[in-house]
PDB file of all heavy atoms in Angstrom:
ATOM      1  N   LYS A 416      87.284  23.897 158.994  1.00  0.00           N
ATOM      2  CA  LYS A 416      88.488  23.548 159.748  1.00  0.00           C
ATOM      3  C   LYS A 416      89.515  24.429 159.443  1.00  0.00           C
ATOM      4  O   LYS A 416      90.300  24.293 158.474  1.00  0.00           O
ATOM      5  CB  LYS A 416      88.829  22.125 159.379  1.00  0.00           C
ATOM      6  CG  LYS A 416      89.884  21.535 160.275  1.00  0.00           C
ATOM      7  CD  LYS A 416      90.170  19.981 159.997  1.00  0.00           C
ATOM      8  CE  LYS A 416      91.198  19.407 160.962  1.00  0.00           C
ATOM      9  NZ  LYS A 416      91.256  17.938 160.740  1.00  0.00           N
ATOM     10  N   ARG A 417      89.558  25.648 160.174  1.00  0.00           N
ATOM     11  CA  ARG A 417      90.498  26.754 159.958  1.00  0.00           C
ATOM     12  C   ARG A 417      91.928  26.290 159.934  1.00  0.00           C
ATOM     13  O   ARG A 417      92.814  26.757 159.160  1.00  0.00           O
ATOM     14  CB  ARG A 417      90.236  27.708 161.029  1.00  0.00           C
ATOM     15  CG  ARG A 417      91.319  28.857 161.035  1.00  0.00           C
ATOM     16  CD  ARG A 417      90.905  30.062 161.892  1.00  0.00           C
ATOM     17  NE  ARG A 417      90.411  29.731 163.169  1.00  0.00           N
ATOM     18  CZ  ARG A 417      89.768  30.632 164.039  1.00  0.00           C
ATOM     19  NH1 ARG A 417      89.722  31.830 163.625  1.00  0.00           N
ATOM     20  NH2 ARG A 417      89.304  30.248 165.199  1.00  0.00           N
ATOM     21  N   ALA A 418      92.268  25.331 160.737  1.00  0.00           N
ATOM     22  CA  ALA A 418      93.615  24.836 160.892  1.00  0.00           C
ATOM     23  C   ALA A 418      94.155  24.138 159.637  1.00  0.00           C
ATOM     24  O   ALA A 418      95.300  24.116 159.455  1.00  0.00           O
ATOM     25  CB  ALA A 418      93.819  23.823 162.070  1.00  0.00           C
ATOM     26  N   ALA A 419      93.307  23.730 158.789  1.00  0.00           N
ATOM     27  CA  ALA A 419      93.647  23.067 157.470  1.00  0.00           C
ATOM     28  C   ALA A 419      93.548  23.967 156.282  1.00  0.00           C
ATOM     29  O   ALA A 419      93.593  23.470 155.202  1.00  0.00           O
ATOM     30  CB  ALA A 419      92.860  21.784 157.322  1.00  0.00           C
ATOM     31  N   VAL A 420      93.290  25.209 156.507  1.00  0.00           N
ATOM     32  CA  VAL A 420      93.115  26.167 155.397  1.00  0.00           C
ATOM     33  C   VAL A 420      94.513  26.898 155.168  1.00  0.00           C
ATOM     34  O   VAL A 420      95.117  27.396 156.095  1.00  0.00           O
ATOM     35  CB  VAL A 420      92.040  27.219 155.732  1.00  0.00           C
ATOM     36  CG1 VAL A 420      91.834  28.222 154.621  1.00  0.00           C
ATOM     37  CG2 VAL A 420      90.675  26.566 155.995  1.00  0.00           C
ATOM     38  N   ALA A 421      94.875  26.941 153.992  1.00  0.00           N
ATOM     39  CA  ALA A 421      96.071  27.647 153.573  1.00  0.00           C
ATOM     40  C   ALA A 421      95.927  29.272 153.932  1.00  0.00           C
ATOM     41  O   ALA A 421      94.801  29.746 153.811  1.00  0.00           O
ATOM     42  CB  ALA A 421      96.444  27.561 152.160  1.00  0.00           C
ATOM     43  N   PRO A 422      96.981  29.896 154.405  1.00  0.00           N
ATOM     44  CA  PRO A 422      96.912  31.278 154.855  1.00  0.00           C
ATOM     45  C   PRO A 422      96.218  32.116 153.743  1.00  0.00           C
ATOM     46  O   PRO A 422      95.465  33.132 154.056  1.00  0.00           O
ATOM     47  CB  PRO A 422      98.304  31.651 155.123  1.00  0.00           C
ATOM     48  CG  PRO A 422      98.905  30.384 155.591  1.00  0.00           C
ATOM     49  CD  PRO A 422      98.309  29.381 154.653  1.00  0.00           C
ATOM     50  N   GLU A 423      96.576  31.935 152.534  1.00  0.00           N
ATOM     51  CA  GLU A 423      96.106  32.795 151.385  1.00  0.00           C
ATOM     52  C   GLU A 423      94.589  32.585 151.107  1.00  0.00           C
ATOM     53  O   GLU A 423      93.973  33.396 150.474  1.00  0.00           O
ATOM     54  CB  GLU A 423      96.899  32.555 150.168  1.00  0.00           C
ATOM     55  CG  GLU A 423      96.961  31.101 149.674  1.00  0.00           C
ATOM     56  CD  GLU A 423      98.272  30.364 150.219  1.00  0.00           C
ATOM     57  OE1 GLU A 423      98.554  30.448 151.401  1.00  0.00           O
ATOM     58  OE2 GLU A 423      98.998  29.903 149.342  1.00  0.00           O
ATOM     59  N   MET A 424      93.935  31.564 151.720  1.00  0.00           N
ATOM     60  CA  MET A 424      92.533  31.332 151.570  1.00  0.00           C
ATOM     61  C   MET A 424      91.710  31.669 152.756  1.00  0.00           C
ATOM     62  O   MET A 424      90.431  31.511 152.707  1.00  0.00           O
ATOM     63  CB  MET A 424      92.298  29.797 151.216  1.00  0.00           C
ATOM     64  CG  MET A 424      92.693  29.454 149.780  1.00  0.00           C
ATOM     65  SD  MET A 424      91.840  30.357 148.475  1.00  0.00           S
ATOM     66  CE  MET A 424      90.164  29.719 148.735  1.00  0.00           C
ATOM     67  N   LEU A 425      92.289  32.216 153.773  1.00  0.00           N
ATOM     68  CA  LEU A 425      91.497  32.614 154.995  1.00  0.00           C
ATOM     69  C   LEU A 425      90.572  33.722 154.674  1.00  0.00           C
ATOM     70  O   LEU A 425      89.449  33.884 155.268  1.00  0.00           O
ATOM     71  CB  LEU A 425      92.444  32.985 156.134  1.00  0.00           C
ATOM     72  CG  LEU A 425      93.237  31.843 156.806  1.00  0.00           C
ATOM     73  CD1 LEU A 425      94.337  32.409 157.668  1.00  0.00           C
ATOM     74  CD2 LEU A 425      92.352  30.840 157.478  1.00  0.00           C
ATOM     75  N   VAL A 426      90.912  34.560 153.754  1.00  0.00           N
ATOM     76  CA  VAL A 426      90.039  35.645 153.227  1.00  0.00           C
ATOM     77  C   VAL A 426      89.999  35.505 151.744  1.00  0.00           C
ATOM     78  O   VAL A 426      91.048  35.441 150.932  1.00  0.00           O
ATOM     79  CB  VAL A 426      90.532  37.049 153.619  1.00  0.00           C
ATOM     80  CG1 VAL A 426      89.612  38.100 152.978  1.00  0.00           C
ATOM     81  CG2 VAL A 426      90.690  37.205 155.143  1.00  0.00           C
ATOM     82  N   HIS A 427      88.772  35.300 151.106  1.00  0.00           N
ATOM     83  CA  HIS A 427      88.684  34.963 149.785  1.00  0.00           C
ATOM     84  C   HIS A 427      87.323  35.526 149.196  1.00  0.00           C
ATOM     85  O   HIS A 427      86.338  35.375 149.868  1.00  0.00           O
ATOM     86  CB  HIS A 427      88.736  33.471 149.580  1.00  0.00           C
ATOM     87  CG  HIS A 427      88.627  33.077 148.063  1.00  0.00           C
ATOM     88  ND1 HIS A 427      89.686  33.248 147.221  1.00  0.00           N
ATOM     89  CD2 HIS A 427      87.574  32.493 147.401  1.00  0.00           C
ATOM     90  CE1 HIS A 427      89.310  32.656 145.965  1.00  0.00           C
ATOM     91  NE2 HIS A 427      87.934  32.337 146.141  1.00  0.00           N
ATOM     92  N   GLU A 428      87.373  35.966 148.008  1.00  0.00           N
ATOM     93  CA  GLU A 428      86.062  36.347 147.273  1.00  0.00           C
ATOM     94  C   GLU A 428      86.218  35.834 145.838  1.00  0.00           C
ATOM     95  O   GLU A 428      87.284  36.017 145.218  1.00  0.00           O
ATOM     96  CB  GLU A 428      85.904  37.879 147.306  1.00  0.00           C
ATOM     97  CG  GLU A 428      84.707  38.245 146.562  1.00  0.00           C
ATOM     98  CD  GLU A 428      84.502  39.825 146.481  1.00  0.00           C
ATOM     99  OE1 GLU A 428      84.718  40.478 147.395  1.00  0.00           O
ATOM    100  OE2 GLU A 428      83.937  40.285 145.387  1.00  0.00           O
ATOM    101  N   GLY A 429      85.198  35.169 145.393  1.00  0.00           N
ATOM    102  CA  GLY A 429      85.235  34.567 144.064  1.00  0.00           C
ATOM    103  C   GLY A 429      83.897  34.321 143.505  1.00  0.00           C
ATOM    104  O   GLY A 429      82.880  34.415 144.223  1.00  0.00           O
ATOM    105  N   PRO A 430      83.793  33.976 142.234  1.00  0.00           N
ATOM    106  CA  PRO A 430      82.480  33.629 141.552  1.00  0.00           C
ATOM    107  C   PRO A 430      82.046  32.210 141.945  1.00  0.00           C
ATOM    108  O   PRO A 430      82.811  31.295 142.033  1.00  0.00           O
ATOM    109  CB  PRO A 430      82.939  33.673 140.136  1.00  0.00           C
ATOM    110  CG  PRO A 430      84.289  33.338 140.067  1.00  0.00           C
ATOM    111  CD  PRO A 430      84.910  33.873 141.311  1.00  0.00           C
ATOM    112  N   ALA A 431      80.740  32.008 142.148  1.00  0.00           N
ATOM    113  CA  ALA A 431      80.145  30.761 142.455  1.00  0.00           C
ATOM    114  C   ALA A 431      80.105  29.892 141.177  1.00  0.00           C
ATOM    115  O   ALA A 431      79.752  30.331 140.131  1.00  0.00           O
ATOM    116  CB  ALA A 431      78.819  30.928 143.045  1.00  0.00           C
ATOM    117  N   LYS A 432      80.373  28.573 141.408  1.00  0.00           N
ATOM    118  CA  LYS A 432      80.043  27.544 140.488  1.00  0.00           C
ATOM    119  C   LYS A 432      79.039  26.570 141.184  1.00  0.00           C
ATOM    120  O   LYS A 432      79.528  26.013 142.248  1.00  0.00           O
ATOM    121  CB  LYS A 432      81.332  26.792 140.060  1.00  0.00           C
ATOM    122  CG  LYS A 432      82.295  27.676 139.212  1.00  0.00           C
ATOM    123  CD  LYS A 432      81.938  27.677 137.800  1.00  0.00           C
ATOM    124  CE  LYS A 432      83.009  28.430 136.991  1.00  0.00           C
ATOM    125  NZ  LYS A 432      84.169  27.747 136.880  1.00  0.00           N
ATOM    126  N   VAL A 433      77.863  26.529 140.798  1.00  0.00           N
ATOM    127  CA  VAL A 433      76.753  25.884 141.597  1.00  0.00           C
ATOM    128  C   VAL A 433      76.416  24.486 141.076  1.00  0.00           C
ATOM    129  O   VAL A 433      76.312  24.290 139.852  1.00  0.00           O
ATOM    130  CB  VAL A 433      75.559  26.722 141.562  1.00  0.00           C
ATOM    131  CG1 VAL A 433      74.491  26.157 142.596  1.00  0.00           C
ATOM    132  CG2 VAL A 433      75.900  28.196 142.091  1.00  0.00           C
ATOM    133  N   TYR A 434      76.325  23.495 142.047  1.00  0.00           N
ATOM    134  CA  TYR A 434      75.978  22.130 141.772  1.00  0.00           C
ATOM    135  C   TYR A 434      74.938  21.615 142.611  1.00  0.00           C
ATOM    136  O   TYR A 434      74.942  21.877 143.830  1.00  0.00           O
ATOM    137  CB  TYR A 434      77.285  21.298 141.718  1.00  0.00           C
ATOM    138  CG  TYR A 434      78.318  21.769 140.756  1.00  0.00           C
ATOM    139  CD1 TYR A 434      79.391  22.668 141.260  1.00  0.00           C
ATOM    140  CD2 TYR A 434      78.277  21.537 139.386  1.00  0.00           C
ATOM    141  CE1 TYR A 434      80.260  23.123 140.377  1.00  0.00           C
ATOM    142  CE2 TYR A 434      79.206  22.119 138.531  1.00  0.00           C
ATOM    143  CZ  TYR A 434      80.179  22.935 138.985  1.00  0.00           C
ATOM    144  OH  TYR A 434      81.111  23.430 138.167  1.00  0.00           O
TER     145      TYR A 434
END
Side-chain angles (χ1 to χ4, degrees):
K416 188 170 183 175
R417 172 167 45 189
V420 179
E423 52 266 51
M424 285 299 292
L425 290 172
V426 178
H427 179 75
E428 181 183 321
K432 295 277 183 72
V433 184
Y434 303 98

